[in-house]
Amino acid sequence: SSPKPGRDRVPMATLLAKLRSDAEALSAGRHSITLEAEAIDLLGNESELASAFGNLISNAVRYTPAGGTIAICWKRCVSSAEFAVSDNGIGIAPEHIPRLTERFYRADTGRSRESGGTGLGLAIVKHALSRHQATLDIASKPGKGSRFSAIFPPGRLAGG
């Protein structure tokens, strides 16, 4: 029960541009990576948000075969804002989705050596988002891809 992050203004355009650049470096040209972002800043801890968003993006790169597409989106909803990462990668079976944010849980244990993951990434994402009063939504279909979205309440938006 650590204290809630502060209310520092996080420049989302700068943060997202850096995360996209990092994703392109990790992808090494194997994927098409797009970024759509509205001019809305968040209030919170930039390093925690960068860690959470970066984890979602790097997972998309790791679990999307070469030639696939990854879309990063930051937009205002009715009274909230949404950060989303969508891909057309391997997808996740429905029975695994409820447990993905558990520490050390891996949907495909056979991939751990290959992808180098520890099973902590999504637990860290969930923790960072909950500290910002945000929720994580996961939608996926095996063989079709996944969409991970973080929904931020109005009190975390700085406007734009």
Side-chain angles (χ1 to χ4, degrees):
S1 64
S2 50
K4 290 183 175 128
R7 300 189 59 77
D8 294 334
R9 188 176 187 120
V10 177
M12 290 296 289
T14 304
L15 175 60
L16 294 173
K18 181 189 181 321
L19 291 171
R20 179 186 186 180
S21 176
D22 292 349
E24 288 172 340
L26 181 62
S27 168
R30 294 186 309 269
H31 308 91
S32 168
I33 300 172
T34 62
L35 170 62
E36 255 184 76
E38 292 184 20
I40 311 159
D41 287 342
L42 274 175
L43 300 173
N45 182 295
E46 185 169 355
S47 65
E48 286 183 26
L49 293 167
S51 173
F53 297 162
N55 191 292
L56 295 176
I57 295 167
S58 66
N59 281 351
V61 172
R62 284 188 183 95
Y63 293 103
T64 301
T69 59
I70 297 161
I72 304 163
C73 181
W74 171 241
K75 66 179 182 177
R76 185 179 300 275
C77 300
V78 176
S79 65
S80 59
E82 177 189 59
F83 171 82
V85 180
S86 305
D87 64 60
N88 63 352
I90 63 172
I92 304 158
E95 65 268 21
H96 294 294
I97 291 176
R99 297 193 61 199
L100 286 179
T101 58
E102 291 178 17
R103 291 173 53 198
F104 305 114
Y105 184 80
R106 296 191 58 90
D108 182 355
T109 55
R111 287 187 57 94
S112 60
R113 272 192 210 107
E114 179 184 327
S115 63
T118 61
L120 286 172
L122 290 175
I124 292 168
V125 168
K126 183 179 179 183
H127 178 73
L129 293 179
S130 70
R131 284 179 36 81
H132 286 82
Q133 297 82 47
T135 57
L136 178 65
D137 183 58
I138 304 168
S140 188
K141 291 190 176 163
K144 301 282 185 195
S146 303
R147 184 176 194 275
F148 287 76
S149 57
I151 311 297
F152 291 86
R156 282 286 167 189
L157 306 184

